Amino acid sequence: MHSEVFLVLFSPDYFRQRLEMATKTQKYNFKEIEDKWQRIWDEVELYRAADSPDPHNKFYMLVMFAYPSGDIHMGHFRNYIIGDAVARQQMMLGRDVLHPFGWDAFGLPAERAAIQRGIHPQEWTLKNISVSRDTLKKAGISFDWSREVTSSLPDYYKWTQWMFIQLFKNKLAYRKRGFVNWCPEDKTVLANEQVKDGKCERCHTPVIKKDQEQWYFKITHYADRLIDDLDDLPGWPENVKTMQREWIGRSFGAEIDFEIEETGEKLPVFTTRPDTIYGVTFMAIAPEAEIVDRLNLGGEYKEQVEQYRQKALARSDIERAAVTEDKDGVFTGKYAINPFNGERIQLWVADYVLAGYGTGAVMAVPAHDTRDFAFAKKYGIPIKVVIHPDKNTALDVDQMEDAFVDYGPMVNSAHFDGLAGKEAIGKVTQYAESQGFGRSKINFKLKDWSISRQRYWGCPIPIIHCATCGLVPVPEDQLPVLLPKVKDYTPKGRSPLADLPEFINVKCPGCGGEAERDPDTMDTFVCSSWYYLRYIDAHNDSEPFDKDKALRWMPIDLYIGGITHATGHLIYFRFFHKFLKDIGWVTTPEPAQRLFNHGMVMDSKGEVMSKSKGNVISPMELVANHGVDVTRLGMFFVAPSDKEVLWSNDTLTGVEKFAINKFYPLVNCLRGSQPDLKQYFNRDKLSADEWKLYIKLNQTVKKASDSVEKLQFNTAISALMELTRDFEPEKVSNEALNDYVILKAIQLAAPMIPHMSEEMWRQAGFEDSVFRSDWPAHDPNAVIGDTIEIAVQVNGKLRDSVSVAADAGQEDVERAAFESPKVVRFTENKDIIKKIYVKGRILNIVVKG
RNA sequence: GCGAAAGUGGCGGAACUGGCAGACGCGCUGGAUUUAGGAUCCAGUGCCGCAAGGCAUGGGGGUUCAAAUCCCCCCUUUCGCACCA
């Protein structure tokens, strides 16, 4: 830009014309400009993260690992642009930024495609990855692709196997026979998290129980820390922390040993209410519980119990849950002894007792437990009151319509009578402990993580089964155990690998004898439990990652993903991290400092977008028609990032007009003054209008910075819209200020509309990227104008507003207020009781009469 | 059933720590321009009322000089957990 030319042409009309010309003649060619900058950014490696960052000035921006399905949908797009805007702003704040991406590439869809179309899962997966990667590049997301990881490639899963072996060596990976969730359709074991409403999360087939030997990770070992450390995560949303606490489900109580009358076998039961111990009238055992086999059942009982057990096992979880109202069970003909009073109580087998919780048996106190009450009523089992609501109120068994479950003083409980609540629980537990038939106990709902899958497309479990040596891990220098090719992927209920003798048969690394490889593969949640560490050192072939680099990059500063992972992935990943800390690989107690869940993107009617409904809007189609920046801007503007969005393409109308017609043409208003962007302006050097503009700019800077911090880009955009609206170049004769305003606006917009901003920055004459410029800081002396509007209320009702100097005191404001006819009308002839003045905001005059 | 979060114009949404409710945008209305459509520009747009003014943040109560914001009750929606002894 030549300033001589400018001087000649400078007139208010000049700018109007320039603006109009700009909108009419040079239509913003988004395709050309976006392609150009994507190419240049790639060439200059703008997104390349430092190898060894300054640990005090780094930012690890992570978005969740994605399954490579080929095309990205609106939800992904939203997730990634939020992370992208944050990463770009952090670059401008001068941080070393790590913003990586990778693929959760093992899993069923690839195997299905292989079965249906005969393509090898790896081939199918890599093809999808390549399409997805191109799409993400076109979307302009600032991922550092040099650190891309793919969980199905040997250089990654080698280290997943290494993780398994570390867990195994620390006795945190073990085998156990037990009832597992089994999907009859997918023919595989499912973790609890993969069961939704008793159905398989993927194919919605009702899940059944199956008795199998499986691999487990002992996540329960970390249950306390997984709950307690949530308190040190202020950056995590409360709802996620609550969900995790409930999922882990810690409850404090006691374990009390009952004795089977006939066999003398001890049967411990867990209870949170030891204070109701004298009210126990029967005991109920889960149908799956092994102890039932040892009861020595005879005659008709034996038959009835067996029948009942069979029936219960055949029921799916939904069916079992459905009988909540109508509890059933069967008497075993046997009795147990309550150690507190020696009473004989009936022993029942009942469906409502869960095998996997506590000891699979409960002491039933019908008077004080709703479920036991219903059961006792149904089968005519005695009900015995041992808690009263309070000292003066007694419960009458015959009048009770439901159990009384609150705390209250103990009655009919020998020497414990009168004790209540926590004290009662403590005393009863202490007594049991002193007598040797009980102890205080903490129980968790969380179960150990079942990780083996009888499927092909997963990470092989690096264990060798040897008849002599037992379970032997594959020596670490022999990793990875490569996933071999197979001919037939069709699920048969056992792993396809089991049918490959050349894979299965190996020499035992311990004794050299004939042995067999484990034929199962791992749950894909294992792969995604440590990927964030691999990004830190993605190409290391001697270690999973370098400890020093991890020390520098960890923890993750911001982790963005959907709420759907609240109890699955986000617990596993915390567990892995804690384990790695315990064995000295990382130093932080938690992997991620701040967690953010973006809202879902639905169609305009509020329905989930799905192929079968035919209501899918592809973000890339919008990108093709409107450009990346406008599409991003629309997604940002429509709602704050955590809210659900009902997407309508109309959303783009307003932001497109703003970006193309208003914002971009601002470059035409530059006057080539090259202002120092680090300087603040002095009030004396500016006209009144200019000072007003300068204030507006600083308010915008402040607003935009706050908004990005809170990930509420919608308000950042509205601030920029206001600034653009209020900026009238013809009223600005100070060239430096004029250019300063435009350049700062470009910087503020850059995280959200990176291509357009970069193009404008370049047109403004900068050689280097706008993302290497400094994020604006607001001038603290210029956020409040010279004069401010004070609202004036009379008795809390707004009557007028007055304009006073910014430094005006209460007297000045009052004087101005009483000059207002409107205020006078409501105050004259009335007693003024008091006047409340809130500095810079409001004056409330309280009158009477 | 239990727990949590949220209810603001025709719509998406703003509103610091209790301090002018409705920023910004969509839509709509009128006008300018245009052969027309589109685009663009200008003005208006919570409701009632000619006005003065009154009424408005799911409903009802309360605290306060002042409540979308704090407290209590109720309604609705969404999400999570759903026999965890």
Side-chain angles (χ1 to χ4, degrees), chain A residues 434-687:
Chain A
S434 70
Q435 299 297 303
F437 51 67
R439 58 215 68 88
S440 71
K441 169 93 181 171
I442 299 168
N443 244 319
F444 297 92
K445 283 197 228 176
L446 182 74
K447 293 181 190 66
D448 278 341
W449 174 13
S450 134
I451 62 115
S452 39
R453 300 286 179 270
Q454 293 71 49
R455 302 294 301 214
Y456 172 71
W457 193 235
C459 175
I461 291 175
I463 291 287
I464 290 164
H465 298 251
C466 170
T468 334
C469 308
L471 298 171
V472 184
V474 172
E476 288 175 26
D477 59 10
Q478 289 171 30
L479 295 178
V481 175
L482 289 170
L483 189 59
K485 295 215 166 174
V486 296
K487 285 200 191 82
D488 186 10
Y489 308 104
T490 342
K492 301 181 184 76
R494 62 174 183 276
S495 169
L497 300 183
D499 298 330
L500 290 182
E502 64 276 24
F503 174 78
I504 292 295
N505 300 327
V506 286
K507 296 276 182 258
C508 170
C511 63
E514 296 296 329
E516 293 187 352
R517 286 192 193 278
D518 196 290
D520 287 356
T521 53
M522 292 185 224
D523 180 6
T524 54
F525 276 119
V526 179
C527 310
S528 56
S529 289
W530 73 280
Y531 74 109
Y532 63 99
L533 288 164
R534 186 64 181 171
Y535 286 141
I536 285 170
D537 198 10
H539 305 292
N540 194 328
D541 51 16
S542 57
E543 288 179 306
F545 57 89
D546 178 81
K547 284 180 193 173
D548 178 63
K549 288 179 185 168
L551 183 72
R552 287 166 181 274
W553 278 118
M554 289 303 287
I556 297 158
D557 293 275
L558 175 59
Y559 193 18
I560 303 180
I563 184 73
T564 42
H565 294 104
T567 51
H569 164 67
L570 289 173
I571 289 183
Y572 296 142
F573 133 102
R574 294 181 58 224
F575 157 59
F576 255 69
H577 192 84
K578 288 177 187 305
F579 167 66
L580 289 169
K581 177 171 191 280
D582 289 351
I583 60 170
W585 282 82
V586 293
T587 52
T588 62
E590 285 286 333
Q593 201 135 63
R594 183 178 176 197
L595 174 74
F596 185 84
N597 302 118
H598 65 267
M600 300 228 288
V601 184
M602 321 288 264
D603 77 356
S604 55
K605 284 181 244 146
E607 293 187 346
V608 182
M609 293 185 190
S610 70
K611 278 183 192 154
S612 55
K613 285 197 186 116
N615 61 351
V616 177
I617 296 170
S618 152
M620 296 321 286
E621 211 174 292
L622 297 177
V623 166
N625 292 328
H626 303 271
V628 173
D629 284 347
V630 166
T631 308
R632 288 166 64 115
L633 205 58
M635 186 59 96
F636 281 134
F637 187 63
V638 67
S641 304
D642 57 343
K643 275 205 67 166
E644 175 183 295
V645 158
L646 305 190
W647 183 261
S648 148
N649 289 353
D650 295 345
T651 306
L652 295 180
T653 312
V655 292
E656 185 157 44
K657 278 197 267 188
F658 167 70
I660 310 284
N661 299 349
K662 302 276 167 57
F663 190 73
Y664 183 65
L666 287 177
V667 275
N668 298 313
C669 302
L670 281 166
R671 300 182 203 160
S673 67
Q674 298 180 341
D676 178 355
L677 292 173
K678 291 202 172 74
Q679 292 289 301
Y680 294 141
F681 279 80
N682 194 324
R683 201 217 170 309
D684 310 335
K685 303 254 166 66
L686 301 177
S687 72

Side-chain angles (χ1 to χ4, degrees), chain A residues 174-310:
Chain A
Y174 68 98
R175 275 172 84 77
K176 179 177 81 175
R177 200 170 180 84
F179 287 89
V180 294
N181 300 310
W182 178 262
C183 174
E185 172 70 25
D186 288 337
K187 296 206 167 81
T188 190
V189 171
L190 301 172
N192 289 338
E193 292 72 27
Q194 292 161 317
V195 182
K196 278 266 169 235
D197 299 324
K199 294 178 187 167
C200 173
E201 193 182 44
R202 286 181 204 276
C203 64
H204 310 292
T205 312
V207 168
I208 58 169
K209 297 278 171 196
K210 200 174 166 184
D211 189 16
Q212 268 206 342
E213 190 163 277
Q214 298 287 335
W215 282 102
Y216 291 87
F217 285 164
K218 206 170 190 172
I219 192 170
T220 52
H221 182 73
Y222 286 84
D224 277 312
R225 281 162 68 188
L226 287 169
I227 282 197
D228 294 337
D229 293 354
L230 289 172
D231 297 336
D232 302 325
L233 289 175
W236 280 45
E238 270 321 307
N239 61 337
V240 172
K241 289 192 277 188
T242 304
M243 279 160 75
Q244 293 208 351
R245 282 190 194 101
E246 282 173 4
W247 188 267
I248 297 167
R250 179 165 57 187
S251 50
F252 300 91
E255 197 170 68
I256 293 165
D257 302 331
F258 282 64
E259 197 178 296
I260 309 292
E261 185 186 47
E262 201 180 296
T263 63
E265 184 175 351
K266 290 264 191 291
L267 177 51
V269 296
F270 176 71
T271 178
T272 53
R273 295 296 302 276
D275 55 327
T276 64
I277 185 74
Y278 287 85
V280 177
T281 57
F282 68 100
M283 177 173 285
I285 310 175
E288 294 95 330
E290 285 173 19
I291 189 154
V292 182
D293 300 327
R294 299 192 296 272
L295 286 176
N296 220 356
L297 297 176
E300 47 173 328
Y301 289 120
K302 186 177 174 115
E303 204 169 303
Q304 280 169 20
V305 170
E306 259 330 297
Q307 262 176 28
Y308 182 78
R309 292 180 85 187
Q310 305 265 313

Side-chain angles (χ1 to χ4, degrees), chain A residues 63-64 74-84 560-562 598:
Chain A
V63 292
M64 284 182 186
M74 288 299 245
H76 289 132
F77 183 75
R78 191 177 192 197
N79 188 159
Y80 304 150
I81 62 173
I82 297 166
D84 184 65
I560 303 180
H598 65 267

Side-chain angles (χ1 to χ4, degrees), chain A residues 60-129:
Chain A
Y60 187 174
M61 172 66 243
L62 185 65
V63 292
M64 284 182 186
F65 222 20
Y67 187 81
S69 54
D71 39 31
I72 70 163
H73 57 67
M74 288 299 245
H76 289 132
F77 183 75
R78 191 177 192 197
N79 188 159
Y80 304 150
I81 62 173
I82 297 166
D84 184 65
V86 171
R88 289 178 186 274
Q89 191 223 13
Q90 290 295 330
M91 284 171 74
M92 296 174 76
L93 287 167
R95 309 251 152 78
D96 284 326
V97 171
L98 173 58
H99 186 208
F101 198 69
W103 311 98
D104 193 8
F106 276 133
L108 287 181
E111 206 170 304
R112 287 218 186 89
I115 294 165
Q116 283 162 14
R117 285 178 261 168
I119 319 166
H120 189 271
Q122 188 78 288
E123 198 185 314
W124 185 86
T125 304
L126 293 178
K127 205 183 275 170
N128 273 349
I129 286 175

